[in-house]
């Protein structure tokens, strides 16, 4: 086992997983303290590194693309203090940090862990229920529904719609964007069959963010929701709907029916394999299967 204890946090590696515990120092970010301890399976890692500095160094974990809903929801926009996969290391612990890196790298080699993207989340995302107040509203999530409540800073046009409740099943995406410079950020929920180009300031499905201390916590709400949406590698249902078979024109009616029947059976088997390997969700598989059965 390898372990490094710092004011910024404690990282422990037991050969199968890394346990990342944020420190209690007042300089530890609010996001990391709210997120709490993370357990990262070895299979979710793409690499680890240690960078030395004059006064302090930094341990960094690199996760495989698609393994963590928080990294996907934040889109690489978390600043260094808010990144749970970085650890500040004091100069007198450089040797321990280098040993830690060697242990993790050796385990990656021995287990032959690939660094390519994955097609399912290997981390569960932030725990729920979760509620964050920032910007012009409060976003709460219980695992099934998002509740958006407005405050006195909300534009009248948006506040007039009242409290908003969105079901996860009605969403096609979620986006978190931090405030940068003079540009405000936002937490936006994309609702199926309800596209909008309205700025977050007026969009009833968005919380506008102004760059204050609690803004990064909205990334946790985005990640918790993202963890319950289809994985980004999952093709849309339209990508796996049964294709109309090409039937030779010279075939007779009986031959055409037999050829189409065989093609539909093959498509059913393909859908079953996609469902078995996790590419299709239960709902997507059921819908596509029913579409084929109706044609049969």
């Amino acid at each position: 086992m390898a372990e490094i204890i710092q004011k910024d946090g404690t990282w422990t590696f037991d050969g199968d997983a890394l346990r990342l515990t944020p420190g209690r120092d007042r300089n530890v970010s609010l996001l990391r303290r709210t997120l709490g301890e993370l357990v990262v399976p070895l299979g979710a890692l793409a690499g680890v590194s240690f960078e030395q500095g004059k006064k302090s160094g930094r341990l960094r974990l690199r996760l495989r693309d698609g393994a963590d809903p928080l990294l996907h929801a934040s889109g690489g926009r978390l600043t260094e203090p808010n990144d749970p996969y970085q650890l500040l290391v004091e100069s007198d612990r450089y040797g321990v940090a280098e040993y830690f890196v060697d242990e993790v790298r050796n385990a990656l080699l021995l287990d032959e862990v690939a660094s390519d993207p994955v097609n399912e989340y290997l981390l569960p995302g932030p725990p729920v229920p979760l509620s964050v107040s920032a910007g012009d509203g409060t976003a709460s999530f219980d695992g099934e529904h998002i509740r958006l409540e407005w405050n006195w800073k909300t534009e009248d046009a948006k506040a007039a719609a009242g409290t908003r409740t969105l079901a996860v099943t009605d969403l096609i995406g979620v986006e978190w964007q931090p405030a940068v410079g003079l540009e405000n950020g936002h937490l936006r929920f994309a609702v199926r069959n309800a596209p909008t180009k309205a700025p977050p300031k007026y969009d009833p499905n968005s919380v506008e963010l102004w760059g204050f201390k609690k803004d990064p916590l909205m990334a946790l709400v985005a990640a918790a929701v993202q963890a319950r949406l289809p994985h980004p590698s999952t093709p849309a249902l339209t990508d796996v709907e049964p294709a109309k078979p090409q039937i030779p024109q010279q075939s007779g009616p009986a031959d055409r029916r037999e050829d189409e029947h065989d093609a539909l059976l093959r498509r059913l088997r393909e859908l079953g394999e996609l469902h078995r390997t996790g590419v299709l969700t239960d709902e997507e598989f059921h819908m596509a299967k029913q579409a084929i059965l109706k044609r049969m």
Side-chain angles (χ1 to χ4, degrees):
M1 187 178 78
E3 183 176 62
I4 180 167
I5 304 174
Q6 295 290 276
K7 292 179 180 179
D8 196 38
T10 298
W11 284 13
T12 305
F13 177 57
D14 63 5
D16 296 318
L18 292 98
R19 191 175 298 274
L20 315 180
T21 307
R24 297 181 179 180
D25 187 79
R26 61 183 179 86
N27 292 323
V28 176
S29 75
L30 181 60
L31 182 146
R32 288 178 58 208
R33 286 188 274 122
T34 303
L35 181 59
E37 185 177 83
L38 286 175
V39 177
V40 183
L42 185 65
L45 284 185
V48 59
S49 63
F50 175 59
E51 304 163 4
Q52 293 189 16
K54 291 183 178 179
K55 295 183 178 180
S56 64
R58 192 177 293 273
L59 272 171
R60 297 178 189 268
L61 296 180
R62 183 166 59 88
L63 272 61
R64 297 169 68 181
D65 288 344
D68 181 24
L70 173 60
L71 292 183
H72 181 78
S74 60
R77 293 182 288 266
L78 288 176
T79 58
E80 285 190 348
N82 292 313
D83 188 343
Y85 303 113
Q86 297 188 32
L87 181 72
L88 286 176
V89 179
E90 298 168 7
S91 58
D92 62 346
R93 289 294 182 270
Y94 282 180
V96 178
E98 290 170 349
Y99 171 76
F100 189 92
V101 167
D102 288 342
E103 288 292 294
V104 176
R105 285 178 176 172
N106 289 337
L108 289 171
L109 289 173
L110 289 173
D111 283 25
E112 298 181 345
V113 177
S115 60
D116 53 339
V118 296
N119 58 12
E120 63 178 340
Y121 291 124
L122 301 180
L123 282 86
V128 295
L130 180 64
S131 183
V132 176
S133 296
D136 68 352
T138 297
S140 304
F141 182 50
D142 62 6
E144 296 182 356
H145 296 88
I146 301 103
R147 182 180 174 88
L148 301 178
E149 300 174 88
W150 313 116
N151 56 38
W152 64 272
K153 295 171 283 188
T154 310
E155 281 291 323
D156 291 343
K158 184 161 79 170
T163 299
R164 191 88 166 140
T165 301
L166 304 171
V168 171
T169 52
D170 292 334
L171 301 182
I172 59 174
V174 57
E175 178 185 62
W176 173 78
Q177 176 73 49
V180 179
L182 298 177
E183 295 292 327
N184 291 339
H186 61 262
L187 172 68
R188 187 193 295 272
F189 299 97
V191 181
R192 184 178 287 105
N193 299 324
T196 179
K197 294 184 179 180
K201 184 176 184 178
Y202 301 106
D203 181 8
N205 298 324
S206 300
V207 176
E208 187 180 34
L209 304 173
W210 301 311
F212 297 127
K213 184 179 180 180
K214 290 187 177 181
D215 280 14
L217 296 183
M218 285 294 185
L220 299 183
V221 178
V225 173
Q226 183 64 55
R228 289 158 178 82
L229 294 176
H231 191 272
S233 69
T234 302
L237 185 58
T238 53
D239 294 336
V240 295
E241 287 179 345
K244 188 174 182 179
Q246 298 296 321
I247 304 174
Q249 292 184 358
Q250 66 272 21
S251 301
D255 292 333
R256 286 198 296 270
R257 286 195 297 270
E258 183 176 353
D259 289 343
E260 183 175 3
H261 184 77
D262 290 341
L264 293 174
L265 285 177
R266 287 196 299 271
R267 194 58 183 153
L268 271 177
R269 288 193 291 269
E270 293 170 0
L271 288 172
E273 180 63 17
L274 290 173
H275 179 247
R276 186 184 66 79
T277 56
V279 174
L280 290 179
T281 65
D282 291 344
E283 182 182 5
E284 291 169 340
F285 171 70
H286 179 74
M287 292 176 63
K289 178 181 175 182
Q290 290 302 315
I292 293 178
L293 292 177
K294 286 181 180 178
R295 294 179 61 181
M296 294 178 67

